[in-house]
């Protein structure tokens, strides 16, 4: 039980420090470049436009309830945040190695600093996504409020995984490349640019059931439920229970591993 609460306790006690470090991390990430923090927004926007052109113009899939670019961005916005949070959270101890070596510093806050830093860009893209919907004549309603819940889901899932990966990567640096490859595969294994109808897959077949085991499926589908299909998350109780069971399980594993290995971080780094 202590493993479940020691990390949340440390994070809550150091919440002001986390916030300040996250703001500083966001500001300094693009320091020295002419466009500065604008680069944080340029690359995802270009990616959205490329995917929209390829899958919405060149290769049209099945008709959607909304224009394809609106359907597409619902999947890309949470994926961008998950990808950035996981990569940055994984490398947090290495990047802040000078803090890890300080005896009195709570190194357990470093992964969440990176994930909160990525949250700033995510909030911008949520706003950009909602503005795009408004320009197409689809205005926010009560269902849209679920974006807050599903963003929290991405935050928790990223943090749960990052505590394991940031602890392991200190001793096994190749993990960074493995995660990069896994994310490249994951973006195609998650129904972001496609859906089961486009692929000719029965939504109730065993293939679909296996693909739905991916926790990011719950989040991507949730964004679309909030903005396109207008469904509440409690209308999918088993998927909700499964997602939180997986996330809490990953967090417990990460907390235990992090606590066990942290005494060796300073020596290795």
């Amino acid at each position: 039980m202590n493993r479940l609460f020691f990390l949340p306790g440390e994070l809550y006690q150091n919440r002001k420090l986390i916030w300040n470090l996250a703001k500083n991390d966001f500001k300094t990430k693009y320091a020295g470049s002419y466009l500065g923090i604008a680069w944080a927004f340029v690359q995802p926007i270009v990616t959205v436009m490329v995917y929209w052109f390829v899958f919405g113009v060149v290769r049209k899939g099945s008709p959607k309830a909304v224009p394809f670019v609106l359907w597409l961005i619902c999947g890309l916005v949470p994926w961008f945040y998950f990808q950035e949070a996981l990569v940055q959270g994984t490398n947090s101890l290495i990047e802040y190695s000078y803090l890890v070596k300080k005896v009195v510093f709570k190194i357990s806050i470093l992964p969440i600093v990176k994930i909160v830093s990525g949250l700033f860009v995510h909030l911008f893209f949520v706003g950009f996504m909602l503005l795009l919907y408004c320009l197409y004549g689809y205005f926010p309603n009560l269902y849209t409020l679920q974006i807050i819940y599903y963003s929290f889901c991405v935050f928790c899932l990223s943090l749960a995984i990052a505590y394991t990966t940031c602890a392991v990567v200190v001793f096994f640096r190749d993990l960074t490349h493995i995660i990069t490859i896994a994310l490249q595969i994951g973006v195609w294994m998650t129904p972001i640019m496609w859906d089961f109808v486009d692929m000719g897959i029965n939504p109730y077949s065993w293939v679909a059931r296996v693909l739905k085991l991916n926790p990011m499926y719950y989040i991507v589908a949730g964004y679309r439920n909030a903005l396109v299909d207008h469904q509440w998350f409690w209308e999918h109780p088993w998927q909700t229970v499964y997602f939180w069971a997986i996330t809490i399980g990953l967090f417990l594993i990460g907390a235990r591993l992090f606590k066990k290995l942290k005494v060796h971080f300073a020596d290795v780094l």
Side-chain angles (χ1 to χ4, degrees):
M1 186 61 68
N2 290 334
R3 290 197 302 269
L4 181 61
F5 293 109
F6 95 90
L7 269 178
E10 284 191 355
L11 299 180
Y12 179 77
Q13 292 170 5
N14 295 276
R15 59 191 182 279
K16 291 184 179 179
L17 178 59
I18 290 171
W19 178 251
N20 291 331
L21 286 174
K23 288 191 296 183
N24 184 67
D25 181 87
F26 179 69
K27 291 176 182 177
T28 59
K29 188 179 298 182
Y30 302 95
S33 60
Y34 287 108
L35 294 181
I37 63 174
W39 286 115
F41 312 108
V42 170
Q43 183 178 354
I45 289 177
V46 171
T47 304
V48 170
M49 298 306 296
V50 169
Y51 284 151
W52 168 75
F53 179 75
V54 172
F55 293 96
V57 178
V58 177
R59 183 189 180 279
K60 293 185 178 181
S62 60
K64 312 299 181 192
V66 295
F68 183 80
V69 66
L70 301 183
W71 184 86
L72 174 67
I73 200 170
C74 281
L76 287 176
V77 166
W79 181 265
F80 284 152
Y81 179 41
F82 173 71
Q83 178 176 264
E84 177 71 9
L86 182 56
V87 170
Q88 295 299 321
T90 297
N91 294 316
S92 58
L93 299 182
I94 296 174
E95 184 173 338
Y96 286 104
S97 59
Y98 61 94
L99 292 177
V100 174
K101 296 175 183 178
K102 291 187 176 182
V103 178
V104 296
F105 189 81
K106 295 287 187 181
I107 61 174
S108 59
I109 72 172
L110 293 177
I112 197 173
V113 165
K114 284 293 188 179
I115 293 173
V116 172
S117 176
L119 186 60
F120 298 137
V121 178
H122 177 65
L123 293 177
F124 167 83
F125 277 102
V126 168
F128 175 77
M129 176 176 62
L130 295 178
L131 175 62
L132 196 60
Y133 268 75
C134 290
L135 292 175
Y136 274 86
Y138 298 89
F139 297 97
N141 51 41
L142 282 177
Y143 292 99
T144 308
L145 293 175
Q146 292 181 105
I147 294 298
I148 300 172
Y149 164 72
Y150 287 112
S151 294
F152 179 70
C153 289
V154 186
F155 181 92
C156 291
L157 178 63
S158 304
L159 186 63
I161 300 174
Y163 270 112
T164 296
T165 55
C166 76
V168 173
V169 79
V170 172
F171 306 94
F172 181 61
R173 299 297 176 92
D174 291 354
L175 181 61
T176 301
H177 304 292
I178 294 173
I179 289 175
T180 300
I181 294 172
L183 288 170
Q184 289 175 345
I185 297 172
V187 72
W188 296 105
M189 296 299 290
T190 307
I192 296 174
M193 278 80 73
W194 56 271
D195 61 16
F196 293 117
V197 175
D198 293 335
M199 302 300 291
I201 300 174
N202 185 330
Y204 301 100
S205 66
W206 69 269
V207 176
R209 292 179 187 276
V210 170
L211 291 173
K212 289 178 181 180
L213 293 177
N214 174 2
M216 280 303 296
Y217 169 82
Y218 174 75
I219 295 169
V220 169
Y223 269 70
R224 288 178 177 147
N225 287 338
L227 293 172
V228 179
D229 300 322
H230 295 163
Q231 298 177 7
W232 295 105
F233 71 88
W234 57 75
E235 295 181 44
H236 306 277
W238 291 113
Q239 291 181 9
T240 301
V241 170
Y242 170 77
F243 172 83
W244 284 111
I246 289 293
T247 301
I248 293 173
L250 290 172
F251 185 82
L252 287 173
I253 293 171
R256 181 177 183 180
L257 190 63
F258 191 92
K259 188 175 183 179
K260 183 177 181 179
L261 296 178
K262 72 176 182 178
V263 295
H264 304 291
F265 292 159
D267 297 331
V268 177
L269 292 172

